[in-house]
Amino acid sequence: MRPVAVVGAGPYGLSTAAHLRARGLPVRVFGDPMVSWRDHMPEGMLLKSTPAASSLDCPQPGHTLADYCDAAGIRRLVTDEDIIPVETFIAYGQWFQRKLVPGLERVRVVSVERARGSGGFELKLDSGEAFEARAVVVATGLSGLAHLPPELAGPASGALGPAAPVSHVYEHHDLGRFSGKELIVVGAGQSALETAALAAEAGAQVRVVSRGRGRVAFGAPPWEQPRLRPESPFGRAWSLWALSYHADPYRFLPDPVRHHLVRRVLGPLGAWWLRDRFEGKVQVKEVQRVVSTDVSDGAPVLKVLTHGGRTEHLTADHVIAATGYRVDISAMDFLSPTLHTHLTTTRGTPCLGPGYVSSLPGLYFTGLPAASSYGPVMRFVCGTQFASPRLAKHLAAAHG
Ligand SMILES: Cc1cc2nc3c(=O)[nH]c(=O)nc-3n(C[C@H](O)[C@H](O)[C@H](O)COP(=O)(O)OP(=O)(O)OC[C@H]3O[C@@H](n4cnc5c(N)ncnc54)[C@H](O)[C@@H]3O)c2cc1C
C-alpha cells in the first residue's frame, strides 16, 4: 500500500504525521526531528510564544507541552507568565515524536517527482532508496529559507557562514564564540534582540543596527494586556483572534493584502521579558538603511545611511543578519523541475486550496510556506492546531 510521505520533522511535520496516523493512513516521515530548534536557534533562547501557544497539535490526548512537563517531572509550564526554555521545547518535540511518530526516518528527501500513470509521486532519499507515495506533505519549515538582503550579501562579503565576516542568524547556535568580540546584529525582531542579549551575556560587545526610528520595542507583559479584547495565542486583539481561529477565508483576500499581512502582523517586537536583559547592555544604532557591506582585513564594514543623511562606516569583528526568512519554493530543490513548472505560485509561495492542497492534487504544503494562503498564524507552532486537522481530513478524503 503506497504511503503518504511527510517531508519534515519539525513541529508541523510531526503534528501532521500524528493526525494522518490517527486516521489510519500509512505514513512515512522524513527529517531530523526539531533540528531548526536544536541547531539553528541560540543556546539558552527562550520562546516568545506562551505555553498555551506552544503545543504540537494532535488528536491523541495527553501530548501537550504541559503533559510533557508532567511526564518529564519538571515544573508545569501553563500560564502566560511561564517562559519556555528552548531546550525544554526541543525535548518536548522529541518526546512527541517518540510517542506519536515512532517510525520517523532520519534521512533527507532528495527528489519528489510525479509518478507516471499512477497519480502519485516518486520520491528519492539520500539513502539511495526510491519509492512511490500516494501524496506528499511538504513541511520543511525554515530549511533553506534564511533571507540575507543584497546589501549584506554583497560579493564583498565573500563566503557566508558562522566563521565568515557576515552570517545569517540561522547559522548560529553557540553565541559564546563571540565572547570578547565586537558584534553587530542587523534587525529589530525578537530573533535580533534575543541574539544580541545572549551574545552580550556571553561577553560580546554588541550593537544592534535597526532600520527606521523607534523600531526596537518590547511587548506588554501579560498583566498589562487589554482585558476587553478577545484572547488569542499571540495576545489580546480582535485582529489576532480572527487570524488565529478563522484562517480559512484568508486565502480569498486579494494577493497584495495577504502578503502584506504575513509580513506585518506580529512583526518585529521583542518579548516583554527581554527588555531588562537588553536595555543598557546592548547599544542600538538606528539608521535609514544599510547601504552595503565590505570587508577590510577580514572584518566586516557596514556602510549605513544615517537619519541625518550622512554615510557612516560601522566596524565589528562579525555581523549577524537577523533578517528573517522568505518563502521561495524555487529554493526547494528537492521538488523536481516538472513540479516547479506545474505549481501555481504567488510571489514565490505556493497557492493553496482547501485543506492545504497545492495546485497539484496530492501535493500539500504546511507551516511557513502556507502562510501566504492561510495567514501569519502559520509562522508559529500554534498554527498546527488550525492546519494539521484540516490537512489530514482533506488528504484522507482525497487519497485515503
Ligand atoms: C529564532 C526563532 C525563534 C522562534 N520562536 C518561536 C516561538 O517562540 N514560538 C513559535 O510558535 N514559533 C517560533 N518560531 C517559528 C518556528 O521556528 C516555526 O513556527 C516552526 O519551527 C516551524 O516548524 P516546521 O515544522 O514548519 O519547520 P522546522 O521546525 O524548520 O522543521 C523543518 C524540518 O524539515 C526537515 N527537512 C528539511 N528539508 C528536508 C528534506 N529535503 N528531507 C527531509 N527533511 C527535510 C528538517 O530536518 C526539519 O525536521 C521561531 C523561529 C525562529 C527562527
Side-chain angles (χ1 to χ4, degrees):
M1 204 179 183
R2 292 181 310 167
V4 176
V6 177
V7 189
Y12 276 88
L14 295 174
S15 163
T16 309
H19 275 271
L20 292 169
R21 281 171 57 98
R23 287 181 173 270
L25 287 162
V27 187
R28 289 183 70 176
V29 186
F30 305 99
D32 190 350
M34 303 299 283
V35 68
S36 292
W37 299 81
R38 194 190 66 222
D39 293 352
H40 301 291
M41 296 187 195
E43 194 177 354
M45 186 188 100
L46 302 173
L47 266 67
K48 190 176 173 190
S49 56
T50 59
S54 303
S55 285
L56 279 58
D57 193 67
C58 65
Q60 304 87 340
H63 297 88
T64 63
L65 177 66
D67 293 321
Y68 164 71
C69 294
D70 291 345
I74 58 174
R75 191 175 70 81
R76 269 190 141 224
L77 299 166
V78 274
T79 75
D80 284 1
E81 287 161 49
D82 290 333
I83 302 165
I84 309 165
V86 72
E87 289 75 19
T88 303
F89 186 67
I90 295 165
Y92 162 55
Q94 292 169 340
W95 173 82
F96 183 101
Q97 179 265 308
R98 286 193 299 276
K99 293 193 72 186
L100 297 179
V101 194
L104 176 116
E105 298 172 59
R106 289 168 197 255
V107 291
R108 284 187 69 75
V109 173
V110 291
S111 100
V112 179
E113 176 61 288
R114 259 177 162 166
R116 289 221 176 92
S118 67
F121 297 86
E122 189 167 306
L123 281 83
K124 292 199 178 101
L125 309 178
D126 67 359
S127 60
E129 184 191 343
F131 72 100
E132 219 179 277
R134 63 175 83 182
V136 174
V137 180
V138 177
T140 48
L142 306 176
S143 315
L145 302 183
H147 172 65
L148 207 62
E151 62 273 19
L152 290 167
S157 306
L160 291 167
V166 179
S167 59
H168 190 275
V169 69
Y170 182 76
E171 296 168 275
H172 293 279
H173 175 63
D174 171 20
L175 295 170
R177 66 187 301 146
F178 298 114
S179 176
K181 300 255 164 64
E182 284 183 28
L183 180 67
I184 287 176
V185 179
V186 181
Q190 169 72 5
S191 176
L193 306 185
E194 194 172 11
T195 297
L198 283 163
E201 287 163 2
Q205 201 182 318
V206 191
R207 211 167 3 164
V208 161
V209 173
S210 145
R211 226 164 34 129
R213 288 189 202 272
R215 284 283 181 85
V216 172
F218 297 87
W223 55 90
E224 284 176 16
Q225 295 270 338
R227 292 275 141 216
L228 290 175
R229 299 187 193 148
E231 249 181 88
S232 85
F234 308 109
R236 288 175 175 269
W238 283 104
S239 54
L240 300 179
W241 172 83
L243 289 165
S244 304
Y245 300 117
H246 300 280
D248 267 324
Y250 192 87
R251 63 199 167 86
F252 299 110
L253 293 170
D255 233 39
V257 177
R258 283 187 290 111
H259 289 288
H260 176 79
L261 289 176
V262 168
R263 274 202 320 277
R264 287 301 159 92
V265 174
L266 299 163
L269 189 68
W272 61 274
W273 43 260
L274 190 58
R275 185 191 290 273
D276 290 346
R277 289 170 52 197
F278 184 92
E279 288 178 349
K281 282 118 192 158
V282 174
Q283 278 181 47
V284 176
K285 173 84 181 168
E286 292 183 337
V287 300
Q288 264 192 58
R289 64 187 176 91
V290 175
V291 179
S292 61
T293 309
D294 221 324
V295 178
S296 172
D297 290 335
V301 181
L302 283 193
K303 185 174 168 187
V304 299
L305 188 64
T306 67
H307 285 294
R310 281 183 303 112
T311 297
E312 280 184 18
H313 293 90
L314 310 178
T315 56
D317 293 306
H318 189 81
V319 172
I320 294 182
T323 41
Y325 297 82
R326 205 166 270 186
V327 179
D328 175 9
I329 62 164
S330 64
M332 295 184 185
D333 53 5
F334 58 91
L335 298 178
S336 75
T338 330
L339 292 191
H340 278 296
T341 314
H342 288 98
L343 269 172
T344 307
T345 60
T346 157
R347 299 190 194 179
T349 69
C351 294
L352 304 179
Y356 292 73
V357 69
S358 71
S359 55
L360 288 172
L363 183 62
Y364 295 75
F365 289 84
T366 189
L368 188 58
S372 63
S373 294
Y374 281 94
V377 69
M378 299 305 301
R379 290 170 21 214
F380 302 94
V381 172
C382 63
T384 58
Q385 209 181 326
F386 188 85
S388 304
R390 283 168 176 78
L391 190 159
K393 186 176 174 196
H394 188 280
L395 196 154
H399 307 277

